Amino acid sequence: MITIHDILEYMQIAITQTDSADFMKIDICPKFESVLSEIQITLNDLYFAMENLRTWMQPEYNIGKNLATRMDDCFIRREPLGVVLIIGAWNYPLHLILLPLVAAIAAGNCAILKPSEICQATEQLLAELIPKYLSQDCYAVLCGGAEDTKSLLKNKFDHIFYTGSQVVARSILLAAAAHLTPVTLELGGKSPCFIYGHIDIQKAAKRLCWSKFFNTGQSCVAPDYVLCTAQTRDALLPALRETLQTFYGPDPGASPDMGRIVTPRHWRRLMDMLEKSKGKVVIGGESREEDKYIAPTVLVDVLESDALMQEEIFGPILPILTIESLDEGIDYINRQEKPLALYVFSDETSVVTTVLNNTSSGGFCGNDGIVHMALPGLPFGGVGASGMGSYHGRWGFETFSHRRGCMNRSWLLERVNVLRYPPYSDYNLGWLRWATTFKKNSWGGCSVM
Amino acid sequence: MSREQKAVERARKAFLTGRSKPLEHRIRQLKNLQRFLLEREKEIAEAIKKDLNKSEAGTQLYETLGLEGEIILAVKKLAEWVAPRPVEKNLLTISDTVYIQPEPLGVVLIIGAWNYPWAVTIQPLIGAIAAGNAAVVKPSEVCVHTAKVMEDLLPAYIDKELYPVVTGGVSETQELLRQRFDHVFYTGNSMVGKLVMEAAAKHLTPITLELGGKSPCYIDKNCDIPIACRRVTWGKYSNCGQTCIAPDYILCEPSIQGRVLEEIKKSIKAFYTEDPKTCPDYGRIINQRHFKRIMAMTEDSTIAIGGDSDESTCYIAPTVLKDVQVNSKVMQEEIFGPLLPILTVSGVDEAIDFINKGEKPLALYIFSPDDKVIKKVIAETSSGGVLANDCLVHYSVSALPFGGVGNSGMGSYHGKFSFDNLSHLRGCLIKQLKMEGVNDMRYPPHTAKKLFWARFFILKNPDLGFIGRMTLLTIIAVVAAMVLQRYLQ
């Protein structure tokens, strides 16, 4: 795993070329976002794994036992699954391959990596570096498009880890079913962002802008849309304008810190949504086809039926939906599919708690955006349509491990065993029941067998 | 709307009212379930007798005793399981609240099997209720009388909208699988397991598959053979071998094969008398189809013990086959019946190689007095679970996760694992809008200086006590103030 560290160090230098070639970011400053979101987060998880791996790999002996198994050894081992397939996505092409790889290696598996073909420079870089630094027998990078991935999926794997869209996820699950392969799906959804109640609107605006426009809104956990009252909206808009001015200057298109959309096709999709939207553009709206630029854009008066509300935006467009009460907002969210992330900005703890308790989402962050992803202690994953399974930190290790329950029985106490052998009798059963109901500091164990 | 669709819709509506979530509700339902098992002992035993010809003591021992234990554990521990679980923080989040909140998934589909119809159908239900879900229960149609008892009597004890019992055969199950669930829990064979997974894939529904496989049983020549054989006999012939974790076949050195046969014969006699056919504690094969399937497996092997059968009553005597070859019929699929093949190997290494050539089994058994041998087998093989020096009983330890790997299944349950498996563990970070100075580092316009500080703060995850945290907080505040001052200049 130390070699992954080397790869990452090398990549830090190379990252300017790759992400910039793909995202049209040039210069030292955009390196900021890439360094944080691609390199740093992976390094973080890597160090965390290296520090804790010995502990994670230890068999878990602290198992409660029942009366008759007190003489026995019960423990849980974490074992490798075998060969895992990791399919990456294009929005964070490096970390979405390398972070799962760290977990897969930590758990003792071999891995096949299939980076996204959309980010060609990163794909090439991985194909070049991985065999150089890691054992070529155990870890391979396979490049290719959709057809190649389909063929790849005909093979049997011991686990498939996929980051991407729901449509492709379904076909991956179907392919996995043929081999009874367990799957982790990191998908997405429309992550709602409540701004409600008493709130420091300046700070909220800053954090919201940062989370939304980071990587030009192309994050699976970007706040997709805002839910707030008309009053809050009116206070929010000037705060957003001010923040955007501070971040990117008067013309975000000229700022080196503003990214671009990944491909002309994705740019077209976003422009279509924007054109079809019936909302009112109050901030931004400018765009340029030549360099796939879309300005940080905010729309108001957006309704549930709007073109922007039918699928995950995944771009620098922020619709604001007006609600009259918190319950209205919660009802709206619960009518949609469960999102990958849910955000609430509020000074009032009751608001945060109410939303938390009455909704479901992959993860949750109060008073900020995205950063809950950076904590290796929290499981990162979706629920419902936003995905299944989780990773980061120890969760990644567990995802790529088989938790094997082991019991080593003593040769003694055969006389107690006699109670369970035929011929069955009510008398013996009576003793077994007694031993079952007698529980002293035991965590579990339902029958004395 | 079909009957199945209606049941699922009603369960979802009931779930959306939120009434399955409060702790009191879950505990009450679990206690009612426990009452059901105690009060209806007679009806349950009668149904099992008609379906599987199990004796009343056998039913309690293998079916309901385990369930009662799981309910008692869940009721006792539920408040703890449901509580938010704290998590390590990094420097940037040192003053924030970080935890994992277990939440219900929604509506769970539980498809039961016929071999332990109560155990494998109700145990997942206990987990589903404990985790705050609604659950549609689909008992196996093979156990006609048991399914009827579940359908008729369960609604009198537990919420019939939240936890409906839907009976039926293949087409009803297929109709159920067309509906959308938040989790599907299936116990059965791998063929149907694949179909269940395909159906779930359409809705992106997570699944738990408790399948099976050929569970190997290695008997070391130095072990206490009489005790080992007694335990193996019990593990094999309980429920007439129709147990997903029954020792499927034995691997041992040729030098002890004779003794093993002798001891198994003795144990069979002690358990089931000279004439198991007349013994009330010996079961029957579930139906003619399986009877024929199992009998066909004996065709190309040598029968050392037993072998007699009676198709009209689906009776197959406790049978042992010796000197079995790897390509014989009995070694091609999970036996799930009272045939015990013995294959000879030269030692533990050959046994390990043999095991690794097959699919990963649900259980693996090793009988040896030498811990080193046991450790070696565990380290060099893979299986759902492992049990050394006995059979089946690891199932009863709620603190051990019970589930398969590879072809033997995915996901696990029992005890807290049932609860976690049927919950969504939601990562929560609740920040304050203070300490914005530290956040400034991440905002554009980006500079190399800011990047340096951002990296510094994100990198470490200290695990400090309260005083440590407060000290660190002070240091951070000072540093942040210094950093801010620099930028303000």
Side-chain angles (χ1 to χ4, degrees):
Chain A
M1 282 216 300
I2 301 176
T3 49
I4 294 205
H5 179 272
D6 290 340
I7 299 186
L8 287 167
E9 293 282 318
Y10 179 95
M11 277 174 164
Q12 255 189 161
I13 304 159
I15 196 71
T16 322
Q17 281 102 43
T18 56
D19 262 16
S20 65
D22 294 324
F23 284 150
M24 297 256 306
K25 286 189 211 164
I26 38 172
D27 203 309
I28 188 172
C29 290
K31 181 185 158 192
F32 190 102
E33 284 186 9
S34 317
V35 169
L36 271 186
S37 64
E38 295 267 51
I39 308 288
Q40 213 50 55
I41 192 173
T42 313
L43 269 177
N44 202 19
D45 219 71
L46 178 65
Y47 292 144
F48 190 76
M50 279 163 65
E51 224 175 272
N52 294 292
L53 192 54
R54 215 168 284 271
T55 319
W56 296 348
M57 283 173 67
Q58 287 303 319
E60 195 182 332
Y61 274 95
N62 190 16
I63 305 283
K65 295 185 262 195
N66 65 20
L67 201 56
T69 51
R70 235 159 246 291
M71 303 282 288
D72 310 318
D73 245 341
C74 289
F75 53 99
I76 302 175
R77 273 170 60 98
R78 265 84 178 164
E79 300 178 347
L81 290 168
V83 180
V84 308
L85 172 64
I86 299 172
I87 302 177
W90 55 258
N91 56 334
Y92 293 100
L94 230 50
H95 115 229
L96 291 175
I97 285 273
L98 291 179
L99 233 163
L101 179 61
V102 166
I105 295 178
N109 300 290
C110 290
I112 305 276
L113 307 175
K114 164 69 193 69
S116 166
E117 66 278 14
I118 292 179
C119 288
Q120 292 188 344
T122 311
E123 189 192 36
Q124 291 307 319
L125 195 65
L126 281 169
E128 185 195 311
L129 293 178
I130 297 275
K132 240 196 231 168
Y133 287 85
L134 297 177
S135 157
Q136 291 187 31
D137 287 331
C138 299
Y139 312 106
V141 179
L142 294 176
C143 302
E147 284 307 312
D148 302 297
T149 311
K150 259 199 210 135
S151 317
L152 189 57
L153 285 167
K154 292 205 182 92
N155 296 289
K156 178 173 180 175
F157 292 95
D158 298 293
H159 194 97
I160 297 176
F161 189 102
Y162 170 74
T163 307
S165 75
Q166 285 173 22
V167 170
V168 177
R170 277 195 190 89
S171 53
I172 290 185
L173 257 185
L174 275 171
H179 297 290
L180 286 174
T181 302
V183 175
T184 302
L185 299 174
E186 296 276 330
L187 310 176
K190 294 182 79 58
S191 300
C193 179
F194 270 102
I195 304 183
Y196 201 86
H198 186 264
I199 184 75
D200 181 333
I201 206 79
Q202 296 296 331
K203 293 197 182 128
K206 264 207 200 142
R207 295 181 181 192
L208 174 58
C209 279
W210 180 78
S211 336
K212 177 67 183 185
F213 302 111
F214 191 94
N215 203 25
T216 328
Q218 296 163 118
S219 310
C220 44
V221 287
D224 193 275
Y225 61 94
V226 166
L227 289 163
C228 63
T229 60
Q231 211 182 6
T232 309
R233 176 200 63 200
D234 293 336
L236 180 65
L237 289 173
L240 287 174
R241 278 195 196 93
E242 198 187 314
T243 307
L244 286 170
Q245 173 90 316
T246 317
F247 282 6
Y248 306 115
D251 178 16
S255 162
D257 297 330
M258 183 65 200
R260 298 292 183 268
I261 306 304
V262 67
T263 67
R265 180 169 63 89
H266 290 83
W267 182 89
R268 188 71 258 158
R269 179 187 73 87
L270 286 164
M271 292 310 298
D272 273 345
M273 268 203 271
L274 200 51
E275 278 151 27
K276 289 201 183 100
S277 170
K278 303 229 170 60
K280 191 168 97 189
V281 176
V282 291
I283 299 176
E286 303 88 20
S287 60
R288 251 193 332 257
E289 190 162 4
E290 317 86 73
D291 58 342
K292 301 165 288 164
Y293 166 70
I294 300 179
T297 304
V298 182
L299 296 99
V300 295
D301 301 332
V302 176
L303 302 173
E304 193 173 338
S305 53
D306 197 278
L308 287 170
M309 298 307 289
Q310 305 315 311
E311 55 177 276
E312 187 176 358
I313 294 171
F314 226 66
I317 301 169
L318 181 64
I320 299 182
L321 278 75
T322 325
I323 50 172
E324 301 198 356
S325 68
L326 196 59
D327 283 334
E328 191 191 323
I330 291 175
D331 281 340
Y332 176 76
I333 291 175
N334 288 337
R335 281 201 297 277
Q336 320 305 318
E337 292 292 350
K338 295 177 188 176
L340 185 54
L342 208 154
Y343 302 109
V344 177
F345 283 88
S346 181
D347 271 342
E348 296 167 46
T349 320
S350 59
V351 169
V352 175
T353 321
T354 309
V355 177
L356 194 52
N357 290 340
N358 291 294
T359 58
S360 183
S361 63
F364 179 93
C365 186
N367 295 322
D368 211 334
I370 301 185
V371 290
H372 63 293
M373 261 196 80
L375 289 172
L378 283 181
F380 180 70
V383 64
S386 52
M388 55 177 83
S390 61
Y391 71 129
H392 285 191
R394 186 173 191 163
W395 303 95
F397 175 80
E398 296 280 335
T399 292
F400 287 107
S401 299
H402 168 52
R403 233 179 2 195
R404 191 181 193 189
C406 305
M407 186 173 177
N408 190 348
R409 273 217 105 174
S410 146
W411 287 97
L412 311 166
L413 287 190
E414 186 62 7
R415 288 194 183 281
V416 179
N417 266 2
V418 164
L419 288 174
R420 76 187 194 202
Y421 295 143
Y424 301 131
S425 70
D426 285 335
Y427 177 76
N428 286 353
L429 191 58
W431 278 105
L432 282 174
R433 288 202 91 115
W434 173 83
T436 308
T437 53
F438 175 81
K439 289 230 172 335
K440 191 178 163 202
N441 293 331
S442 74
W443 286 20
C446 31
S447 27
V448 175
M449 290 291 213
Chain B
M1 225 198 285
S2 65
R3 169 179 153 259
E4 291 76 28
Q5 239 176 326
K6 280 202 198 113
V8 179
E9 293 253 339
R10 233 175 316 152
R12 187 162 293 284
K13 263 209 189 95
F15 175 76
L16 289 171
T17 64
R19 70 174 190 266
S20 64
K21 294 189 200 173
L23 191 63
E24 309 80 55
H25 166 93
R26 305 185 202 189
I27 292 183
R28 208 174 340 120
Q29 295 295 312
L30 289 172
K31 286 193 169 150
N32 285 351
L33 193 53
Q34 187 181 18
R35 246 189 336 119
F36 166 79
L37 294 172
L38 290 170
E39 286 174 14
R40 301 297 183 158
E41 217 175 271
K42 200 158 148 286
E43 285 94 332
I44 293 173
E46 270 169 19
I48 290 269
K49 182 93 187 135
K50 287 187 196 141
D51 288 328
L52 288 166
N53 198 36
K54 246 188 246 190
S55 60
E56 181 158 343
T59 298
Q60 280 201 43
L61 191 58
Y62 299 110
E63 299 258 34
T64 54
L65 210 57
L67 293 177
E68 287 178 58
E70 284 275 313
I71 293 176
I72 291 171
L73 178 69
V75 165
K76 179 167 161 203
K77 290 277 176 180
L78 200 52
E80 194 185 302
W81 293 350
V82 154
R85 304 173 189 182
V87 139
E88 312 92 341
K89 303 192 239 195
N90 67 15
L91 278 177
L92 267 180
T93 48
I94 206 96
S95 62
D96 308 319
T97 318
V98 193
Y99 58 92
I100 297 168
Q101 178 63 61
E103 297 180 340
L105 290 168
V107 183
V108 176
L109 171 62
I110 299 170
I111 302 177
W114 54 258
N115 58 339
Y116 292 94
W118 290 96
V120 307
T121 314
I122 303 295
Q123 193 147 352
L125 177 62
I126 294 170
I129 296 176
N133 301 294
V136 175
V137 178
K138 160 72 189 70
S140 167
E141 68 278 15
V142 176
C143 288
V144 172
H145 303 94
T146 304
K148 190 114 202 349
V149 168
M150 281 188 198
E151 188 177 31
D152 291 343
L153 300 180
L154 262 181
Y157 288 80
I158 56 177
D159 190 315
K160 59 175 176 273
E161 282 177 352
L162 280 172
Y163 320 111
V165 177
V166 177
T167 53
V170 174
S171 57
E172 284 81 11
T173 311
Q174 281 171 338
E175 176 64 11
L176 272 176
L177 284 167
R178 270 180 222 116
Q179 312 312 313
R180 185 178 179 182
F181 292 95
D182 299 288
H183 194 103
V184 174
F185 193 111
Y186 169 76
T187 307
N189 67 61
S190 356
M191 250 173 27
V192 178
K194 287 181 185 163
L195 298 172
V196 171
M197 191 168 170
E198 274 173 24
K202 297 200 179 74
H203 296 292
L204 285 177
T205 301
I207 50 170
T208 303
L209 298 176
E210 296 276 332
L211 310 176
K214 292 182 80 59
S215 299
C217 179
Y218 175 69
I219 302 183
D220 186 317
K221 71 170 184 270
N222 298 316
C223 75
D224 184 329
I225 296 185
I227 296 184
C229 291
R230 195 168 333 135
R231 296 179 179 185
V232 171
T233 307
W234 173 74
K236 180 66 178 188
Y237 300 110
S238 297
N239 206 24
C240 224
Q242 296 162 123
T243 309
C244 46
I245 46 171
D248 192 275
Y249 61 94
I250 291 178
L251 294 166
C252 69
E253 288 183 39
S255 54
I256 58 164
Q257 191 179 200
R259 266 215 79 193
V260 166
L261 283 169
E262 213 182 287
E263 292 297 330
I264 293 180
K265 196 164 186 186
K266 274 194 207 145
S267 301
I268 292 175
K269 184 156 161 225
F271 293 169
Y272 307 116
T273 76
E274 290 280 4
D275 185 14
K277 198 167 178 197
T278 56
C279 175
D281 294 331
Y282 188 69
R284 295 291 180 271
I285 303 304
I286 185 70
N287 58 31
Q288 301 245 323
R289 180 170 69 88
H290 280 283
F291 174 90
K292 290 197 174 90
R293 177 186 68 84
I294 298 167
M295 287 312 295
M297 288 191 204
T298 60
E299 281 163 21
D300 56 354
S301 296
T302 316
I303 297 176
I305 299 173
D308 31 298
S309 61
D310 175 4
E311 189 164 344
S312 59
T313 55
C314 289
Y315 165 77
I316 301 179
T319 302
V320 182
L321 308 165
K322 72 175 197 181
D323 296 323
V324 174
Q325 299 306 308
V326 65
N327 49 10
S328 59
K329 286 197 179 133
V330 76
M331 292 305 290
Q332 302 316 309
E333 57 173 273
E334 187 178 357
I335 297 168
F336 224 68
L339 306 180
L340 182 54
I342 304 181
L343 285 81
T344 52
V345 289
S346 57
V348 70
D349 286 311
E350 198 189 324
I352 291 174
D353 281 339
F354 183 84
I355 292 170
N356 287 338
K357 286 206 185 81
E359 293 290 351
K360 296 177 189 177
L362 185 53
L364 204 151
Y365 299 108
I366 316 149
F367 284 84
S368 175
D370 188 352
D371 266 350
K372 279 208 252 19
V373 169
I374 295 173
K375 279 201 170 67
K376 183 181 160 79
V377 177
I378 295 181
E380 297 178 20
T381 59
S382 182
S383 63
V386 178
L387 174 50
N389 303 326
D390 208 339
C391 289
L392 308 187
V393 298
H394 61 299
Y395 181 93
S396 75
V397 179
S398 301
L400 285 179
F402 182 76
V405 65
N407 261 35
S408 51
M410 55 178 87
S412 58
Y413 71 132
H414 285 192
K416 182 167 184 231
F417 299 103
S418 301
F419 177 86
D420 281 354
N421 192 17
L422 295 173
S423 297
H424 169 53
L425 299 177
R426 191 184 193 184
C428 302
L429 168 62
I430 306 193
K431 302 193 71 164
Q432 306 299 318
L433 282 172
K434 316 179 198 130
M435 299 258 297
E436 189 60 5
V438 178
N439 262 2
D440 266 339
M441 279 172 280
R442 73 189 195 198
Y443 299 142
H446 298 313
T447 64
K449 223 189 266 182
K450 277 194 192 175
L451 180 58
F452 169 77
W453 283 107
R455 293 185 63 181
F456 172 80
F457 277 101
I458 292 175
L459 257 184
K460 256 319 196 159
N461 302 297
D463 183 22
L464 313 163
F466 180 72
I467 295 183
R469 272 202 290 277
M470 287 299 111
T471 316
L472 201 49
L473 205 55
T474 321
I475 297 177
I476 291 174
V478 169
V479 169
M482 280 169 53
V483 168
L484 255 179
Q485 271 215 309
R486 262 233 210 87
Y487 290 132
L488 285 176
Q489 269 165 8

PDB file of all heavy atoms in Angstrom, chain B residues 381-398:
ATOM      1  N   THR B 381      -8.636 -21.804   3.599  1.00  0.00           N
ATOM      2  CA  THR B 381      -9.892 -22.032   2.875  1.00  0.00           C
ATOM      3  C   THR B 381     -10.801 -20.842   3.074  1.00  0.00           C
ATOM      4  O   THR B 381     -10.505 -19.946   3.854  1.00  0.00           O
ATOM      5  CB  THR B 381     -10.642 -23.273   3.436  1.00  0.00           C
ATOM      6  OG1 THR B 381     -10.913 -23.034   4.824  1.00  0.00           O
ATOM      7  CG2 THR B 381      -9.839 -24.540   3.260  1.00  0.00           C
ATOM      8  N   SER B 382     -11.925 -20.865   2.377  1.00  0.00           N
ATOM      9  CA  SER B 382     -12.948 -19.837   2.614  1.00  0.00           C
ATOM     10  C   SER B 382     -14.304 -20.518   2.705  1.00  0.00           C
ATOM     11  O   SER B 382     -14.555 -21.522   2.030  1.00  0.00           O
ATOM     12  CB  SER B 382     -12.954 -18.816   1.477  1.00  0.00           C
ATOM     13  OG  SER B 382     -13.909 -17.813   1.751  1.00  0.00           O
ATOM     14  N   SER B 383     -15.160 -19.983   3.556  1.00  0.00           N
ATOM     15  CA  SER B 383     -16.510 -20.535   3.704  1.00  0.00           C
ATOM     16  C   SER B 383     -17.339 -19.491   4.420  1.00  0.00           C
ATOM     17  O   SER B 383     -16.807 -18.548   4.997  1.00  0.00           O
ATOM     18  CB  SER B 383     -16.486 -21.827   4.524  1.00  0.00           C
ATOM     19  OG  SER B 383     -16.020 -21.552   5.842  1.00  0.00           O
ATOM     20  N   GLY B 384     -18.677 -19.689   4.400  1.00  0.00           N
ATOM     21  CA  GLY B 384     -19.535 -18.760   5.128  1.00  0.00           C
ATOM     22  C   GLY B 384     -19.106 -18.685   6.583  1.00  0.00           C
ATOM     23  O   GLY B 384     -18.778 -17.616   7.105  1.00  0.00           O
ATOM     24  N   GLY B 385     -19.084 -19.860   7.226  1.00  0.00           N
ATOM     25  CA  GLY B 385     -18.691 -19.918   8.639  1.00  0.00           C
ATOM     26  C   GLY B 385     -17.849 -21.159   8.866  1.00  0.00           C
ATOM     27  O   GLY B 385     -17.730 -22.016   7.985  1.00  0.00           O
ATOM     28  N   VAL B 386     -17.223 -21.207  10.040  1.00  0.00           N
ATOM     29  CA  VAL B 386     -16.390 -22.367  10.365  1.00  0.00           C
ATOM     30  C   VAL B 386     -16.765 -22.880  11.738  1.00  0.00           C
ATOM     31  O   VAL B 386     -16.991 -22.102  12.657  1.00  0.00           O
ATOM     32  CB  VAL B 386     -14.895 -21.970  10.434  1.00  0.00           C
ATOM     33  CG1 VAL B 386     -14.067 -23.182  10.824  1.00  0.00           C
ATOM     34  CG2 VAL B 386     -14.419 -21.409   9.127  1.00  0.00           C
ATOM     35  N   LEU B 387     -16.783 -24.206  11.868  1.00  0.00           N
ATOM     36  CA  LEU B 387     -16.994 -24.767  13.199  1.00  0.00           C
ATOM     37  C   LEU B 387     -16.011 -25.907  13.360  1.00  0.00           C
ATOM     38  O   LEU B 387     -15.950 -26.821  12.521  1.00  0.00           O
ATOM     39  CB  LEU B 387     -18.435 -25.263  13.350  1.00  0.00           C
ATOM     40  CG  LEU B 387     -18.797 -25.998  14.637  1.00  0.00           C
ATOM     41  CD1 LEU B 387     -18.361 -25.242  15.880  1.00  0.00           C
ATOM     42  CD2 LEU B 387     -20.302 -26.239  14.705  1.00  0.00           C
ATOM     43  N   ALA B 388     -15.219 -25.837  14.420  1.00  0.00           N
ATOM     44  CA  ALA B 388     -14.268 -26.905  14.698  1.00  0.00           C
ATOM     45  C   ALA B 388     -14.811 -27.785  15.803  1.00  0.00           C
ATOM     46  O   ALA B 388     -15.329 -27.297  16.804  1.00  0.00           O
ATOM     47  CB  ALA B 388     -12.924 -26.321  15.109  1.00  0.00           C
ATOM     48  N   ASN B 389     -14.715 -29.083  15.578  1.00  0.00           N
ATOM     49  CA  ASN B 389     -15.033 -30.087  16.585  1.00  0.00           C
ATOM     50  C   ASN B 389     -16.492 -30.217  16.943  1.00  0.00           C
ATOM     51  O   ASN B 389     -16.844 -30.688  18.031  1.00  0.00           O
ATOM     52  CB  ASN B 389     -14.201 -29.846  17.867  1.00  0.00           C
ATOM     53  CG  ASN B 389     -12.725 -29.844  17.563  1.00  0.00           C
ATOM     54  OD1 ASN B 389     -12.267 -30.583  16.686  1.00  0.00           O
ATOM     55  ND2 ASN B 389     -11.976 -28.993  18.241  1.00  0.00           N
ATOM     56  N   ASP B 390     -17.361 -29.796  16.059  1.00  0.00           N
ATOM     57  CA  ASP B 390     -18.788 -30.046  16.258  1.00  0.00           C
ATOM     58  C   ASP B 390     -19.503 -29.699  14.958  1.00  0.00           C
ATOM     59  O   ASP B 390     -18.872 -29.263  14.005  1.00  0.00           O
ATOM     60  CB  ASP B 390     -19.344 -29.203  17.422  1.00  0.00           C
ATOM     61  CG  ASP B 390     -20.540 -29.870  18.096  1.00  0.00           C
ATOM     62  OD1 ASP B 390     -21.210 -30.744  17.470  1.00  0.00           O
ATOM     63  OD2 ASP B 390     -20.826 -29.534  19.257  1.00  0.00           O
ATOM     64  N   CYS B 391     -20.799 -29.873  14.948  1.00  0.00           N
ATOM     65  CA  CYS B 391     -21.569 -29.518  13.758  1.00  0.00           C
ATOM     66  C   CYS B 391     -22.761 -28.661  14.140  1.00  0.00           C
ATOM     67  O   CYS B 391     -23.343 -28.834  15.218  1.00  0.00           O
ATOM     68  CB  CYS B 391     -22.098 -30.784  13.067  1.00  0.00           C
ATOM     69  SG  CYS B 391     -20.799 -31.732  12.272  1.00  0.00           S
ATOM     70  N   LEU B 392     -23.122 -27.781  13.252  1.00  0.00           N
ATOM     71  CA  LEU B 392     -24.340 -26.966  13.330  1.00  0.00           C
ATOM     72  C   LEU B 392     -24.375 -25.873  14.405  1.00  0.00           C
ATOM     73  O   LEU B 392     -24.985 -24.841  14.197  1.00  0.00           O
ATOM     74  CB  LEU B 392     -25.607 -27.830  13.563  1.00  0.00           C
ATOM     75  CG  LEU B 392     -25.921 -29.021  12.672  1.00  0.00           C
ATOM     76  CD1 LEU B 392     -27.293 -29.566  13.015  1.00  0.00           C
ATOM     77  CD2 LEU B 392     -25.868 -28.613  11.207  1.00  0.00           C
ATOM     78  N   VAL B 393     -23.759 -26.118  15.573  1.00  0.00           N
ATOM     79  CA  VAL B 393     -24.065 -25.229  16.700  1.00  0.00           C
ATOM     80  C   VAL B 393     -23.607 -23.786  16.560  1.00  0.00           C
ATOM     81  O   VAL B 393     -24.066 -22.917  17.300  1.00  0.00           O
ATOM     82  CB  VAL B 393     -23.523 -25.788  18.031  1.00  0.00           C
ATOM     83  CG1 VAL B 393     -24.186 -27.103  18.330  1.00  0.00           C
ATOM     84  CG2 VAL B 393     -22.023 -25.932  17.999  1.00  0.00           C
ATOM     85  N   HIS B 394     -22.692 -23.502  15.608  1.00  0.00           N
ATOM     86  CA  HIS B 394     -22.288 -22.098  15.447  1.00  0.00           C
ATOM     87  C   HIS B 394     -23.493 -21.261  15.034  1.00  0.00           C
ATOM     88  O   HIS B 394     -23.521 -20.047  15.236  1.00  0.00           O
ATOM     89  CB  HIS B 394     -21.151 -21.980  14.432  1.00  0.00           C
ATOM     90  CG  HIS B 394     -21.490 -22.448  13.048  1.00  0.00           C
ATOM     91  ND1 HIS B 394     -21.872 -23.747  12.770  1.00  0.00           N
ATOM     92  CD2 HIS B 394     -21.503 -21.798  11.869  1.00  0.00           C
ATOM     93  CE1 HIS B 394     -22.110 -23.856  11.475  1.00  0.00           C
ATOM     94  NE2 HIS B 394     -21.894 -22.686  10.902  1.00  0.00           N
ATOM     95  N   TYR B 395     -24.501 -21.936  14.478  1.00  0.00           N
ATOM     96  CA  TYR B 395     -25.743 -21.258  14.089  1.00  0.00           C
ATOM     97  C   TYR B 395     -26.400 -20.577  15.285  1.00  0.00           C
ATOM     98  O   TYR B 395     -27.062 -19.561  15.164  1.00  0.00           O
ATOM     99  CB  TYR B 395     -26.695 -22.300  13.485  1.00  0.00           C
ATOM    100  CG  TYR B 395     -28.017 -21.749  13.025  1.00  0.00           C
ATOM    101  CD1 TYR B 395     -28.193 -21.339  11.710  1.00  0.00           C
ATOM    102  CD2 TYR B 395     -29.109 -21.654  13.893  1.00  0.00           C
ATOM    103  CE1 TYR B 395     -29.414 -20.843  11.275  1.00  0.00           C
ATOM    104  CE2 TYR B 395     -30.318 -21.151  13.470  1.00  0.00           C
ATOM    105  CZ  TYR B 395     -30.475 -20.761  12.159  1.00  0.00           C
ATOM    106  OH  TYR B 395     -31.676 -20.261  11.729  1.00  0.00           O
ATOM    107  N   SER B 396     -26.197 -21.190  16.455  1.00  0.00           N
ATOM    108  CA  SER B 396     -26.929 -20.715  17.622  1.00  0.00           C
ATOM    109  C   SER B 396     -26.250 -19.584  18.364  1.00  0.00           C
ATOM    110  O   SER B 396     -26.815 -19.044  19.309  1.00  0.00           O
ATOM    111  CB  SER B 396     -27.133 -21.875  18.605  1.00  0.00           C
ATOM    112  OG  SER B 396     -25.909 -22.143  19.258  1.00  0.00           O
ATOM    113  N   VAL B 397     -25.052 -19.208  17.946  1.00  0.00           N
ATOM    114  CA  VAL B 397     -24.381 -18.111  18.650  1.00  0.00           C
ATOM    115  C   VAL B 397     -24.757 -16.812  17.950  1.00  0.00           C
ATOM    116  O   VAL B 397     -24.278 -16.516  16.863  1.00  0.00           O
ATOM    117  CB  VAL B 397     -22.848 -18.299  18.647  1.00  0.00           C
ATOM    118  CG1 VAL B 397     -22.170 -17.150  19.360  1.00  0.00           C
ATOM    119  CG2 VAL B 397     -22.488 -19.614  19.301  1.00  0.00           C
ATOM    120  N   SER B 398     -25.630 -16.033  18.565  1.00  0.00           N
ATOM    121  CA  SER B 398     -26.146 -14.816  17.929  1.00  0.00           C
ATOM    122  C   SER B 398     -25.066 -13.792  17.662  1.00  0.00           C
ATOM    123  O   SER B 398     -25.250 -12.903  16.849  1.00  0.00           O
ATOM    124  CB  SER B 398     -27.215 -14.165  18.797  1.00  0.00           C
ATOM    125  OG  SER B 398     -28.268 -15.041  19.012  1.00  0.00           O
TER     126      SER B 398
END
